Amino acid sequence: MSLTPSPPADQRLHGLDALRGFALLLGVVLHASLSFFPEQTWIVHDSSTSIGAAWLFFAIHLFRMTAFFLIAGLFAHMMLGRRGWIGFAKDRLIRIAGPFAVFWLPVMAGIITALVWNAYATGLITPGAEPAPNPTYDWTNFPLTHLWFLWVLLIFYVAMLVLRAPFALLDRNSGWGRTMDRLTGALIGPWTPVVLALPLAWALWSDPTWIAFFAVPTPDAGLIPNTAALVGFGTAFGMGFLLDRRRDLLQRIAGWSPVFLGLAVGTGITGYMLAGGPVLVPMAEQTSDKAVLAVVMAIAVHASALAAMGLCLKFLSSAATWRRYLSDSSYWVYILHLPLVMLAQVWIQDWPTPWWIKLGGVSLGVLAICLVTYELLVRHTFMGRWLNGRRIPWKRPVDAIPVPAE
């Protein structure tokens, strides 16, 4: 027998669909906020700054990608059960590896354009001056850009198939499957964030380059992700994979969501204060203070991700056309947005306008461009089938119901 039980007839989890889409769309706000930090953190440093931008970044960054990988693991198990490992691998190569290979170069070109423009705008480069030497890249520092999440997803998919294969082969009577289901059930409760946080806390404490303000360090450079990212995001991915076997536990997570939210707020504020705010100095020494901060931050990461999941399951479980549209468009928006955000930041950096107006303008303007291009270039074309697994015809009967692609 297979380790993967038969999925329920109604597979659409609208709350998790919404959370996945919002997690990607929040990337626009996240990256737009970086230029408004009090101290320069980003390649663009706006003339209008505020600690509020750092607070906003921290709140979003704390849960966003952990929640995304939690949901990605659940959907991976769902697809594996529906298509088998061959169909799963083929789909992931087309819809994950394909976009990474195709869009990396134009995205990188857009980022370089913004960097050069900013260098001229800020006087770092003057006309006629000798150009700076070209950087050299190898597997240790290859710039994955914001598309790193696709690369990490591919790593997790391969690990999932490899680790699952012997259990699926040997588990003829589903004994292992029943054991894992019981363990998953025992794991879900108010203690879940603490249990999930322990491996991540160790990884953060062991990392001599860890900058506490950034919680889980983003693996955006190098083909081998940093240990903390592999552990933190991998734990979330694995938890999601197991949760799809026990869909009944999703309601338990929704029920505990107020507790998760309270824990996330408490540990998040504590972690921010212990980290000293947007301080970008690595904590190199493995001190007791670093250990405490690593534990607090790791709990905040997982508590906030579980809170987001539970709240979306509780309040966004019904179907809504506009949420489905944003969820479908979020993949394209996230791929496209970063060069546009950087170009907009360079353009407005010296405007005598309050930071929050600039932040709102950049976020909404970039989102509008991305949604228009999604509607015109993606949703109704072959790219819609490529990225989302389905293409919406330009005209269709009112009573036509799209077939879910998840």
Side-chain angles (χ1 to χ4, degrees):
M1 294 180 64
S2 169
L3 277 174
T4 306
S6 299
D10 182 11
Q11 295 183 348
R12 202 79 207 172
L13 295 171
H14 298 288
L16 299 188
D17 244 0
L19 178 56
R20 178 181 58 176
F22 292 154
L24 292 177
L25 293 176
L26 279 173
V28 179
V29 181
L30 181 90
H31 291 124
S33 69
L34 283 165
S35 64
F36 304 105
F37 279 27
E39 295 184 8
Q40 183 161 4
T41 307
W42 188 239
I43 189 66
V44 182
H45 192 222
D46 201 273
S47 60
S48 176
T49 62
S50 171
I51 193 65
W55 294 343
L56 179 64
F57 174 94
F58 181 80
I60 295 173
H61 184 70
L62 194 64
F63 81 94
R64 189 178 69 93
M65 292 312 296
T66 306
F68 173 85
F69 281 105
L70 180 63
I71 297 167
L74 189 148
F75 285 161
H77 184 273
M78 184 195 306
M79 181 179 292
L80 190 63
R82 293 176 57 192
R83 302 192 179 189
W85 76 268
I86 295 178
F88 175 86
K90 180 181 177 182
D91 181 271
R92 300 294 85 182
L93 284 173
I94 292 172
R95 294 175 56 192
I96 301 298
F100 177 77
V102 170
F103 291 115
W104 180 86
L105 185 59
V107 162
M108 193 65 188
I111 291 173
I112 292 174
T113 300
L115 295 179
V116 173
W117 182 18
N118 184 66
Y120 277 105
T122 57
L124 294 177
I125 298 178
T126 56
E130 286 289 330
N134 293 326
T136 57
Y137 296 113
D138 56 29
W139 64 272
T140 65
N141 65 347
F142 183 81
L144 297 172
T145 71
H146 65 301
L147 303 183
W148 64 265
F149 80 105
L150 299 176
W151 179 253
V152 174
L153 271 177
L154 292 172
I155 293 174
F156 288 163
Y157 292 146
V158 172
M160 175 192 74
L161 293 175
V162 171
L163 294 174
R164 179 184 176 277
F167 293 101
L169 182 64
L170 299 174
D171 193 36
R172 298 299 182 181
N173 62 358
S174 296
W176 267 106
R178 288 191 295 270
T179 300
M180 292 305 300
D181 290 344
R182 286 193 292 269
L183 290 174
T184 305
L187 178 60
I188 300 304
W191 51 82
T192 307
V194 177
V195 177
L196 295 179
L198 294 177
L200 176 58
W202 170 83
L204 296 175
W205 180 74
S206 303
D207 184 0
T209 65
W210 182 47
I211 298 175
F213 174 76
F214 290 121
V216 181
T218 303
D220 55 2
L223 299 182
I224 299 180
N226 64 75
T227 301
L230 282 177
V231 171
F233 297 143
T235 300
F237 184 92
M239 186 72 254
F241 186 86
L242 294 175
L243 278 174
D244 189 57
R245 295 181 54 89
R246 291 287 310 272
R247 291 285 187 89
D248 58 300
L249 297 175
L250 295 179
Q251 291 308 309
R252 192 185 299 180
I253 292 175
W256 283 111
S257 58
V259 174
F260 296 149
L261 180 60
L263 183 60
V265 172
T267 53
I269 293 174
T270 302
Y272 180 91
M273 294 174 63
L274 291 177
V279 175
L280 306 183
V281 179
M283 302 183 72
E285 301 297 326
Q286 294 178 332
T287 63
S288 58
D289 288 344
K290 182 180 181 182
V292 170
L293 181 52
V295 170
V296 170
M297 202 68 82
I299 293 174
V301 165
H302 286 290
S304 58
L306 287 166
M309 174 185 249
L311 292 172
C312 285
L313 286 169
K314 180 178 287 190
F315 297 110
L316 302 179
S317 59
S318 61
T321 302
W322 69 272
R323 289 203 307 266
R324 180 64 188 274
Y325 186 93
L326 288 178
S327 178
D328 287 348
S329 66
S330 62
Y331 192 8
W332 170 253
V333 172
Y334 194 76
I335 289 174
L336 185 63
H337 84 280
L338 187 57
L340 298 178
V341 166
M342 295 179 70
L343 290 168
Q345 289 171 329
V346 175
W347 182 34
I348 69 167
Q349 62 183 317
D350 294 324
W351 290 10
T353 308
W355 72 274
W356 55 272
I357 294 179
K358 291 184 179 182
L359 173 60
V362 170
S363 301
L364 293 176
V366 168
L367 181 60
I369 294 172
C370 292
L371 289 177
V372 168
T373 55
Y374 170 74
E375 181 66 25
L376 297 178
L377 303 178
V378 178
R379 189 169 190 248
H380 308 289
T381 71
F382 74 94
M383 289 181 64
R385 180 172 296 279
W386 177 32
L387 296 179
N388 295 332
R390 63 182 187 138
R391 180 182 69 85
I392 306 298
W394 282 102
K395 294 181 179 180
R396 54 181 179 150
V398 174
D399 59 347
I401 301 177
V403 179
E406 297 298 343

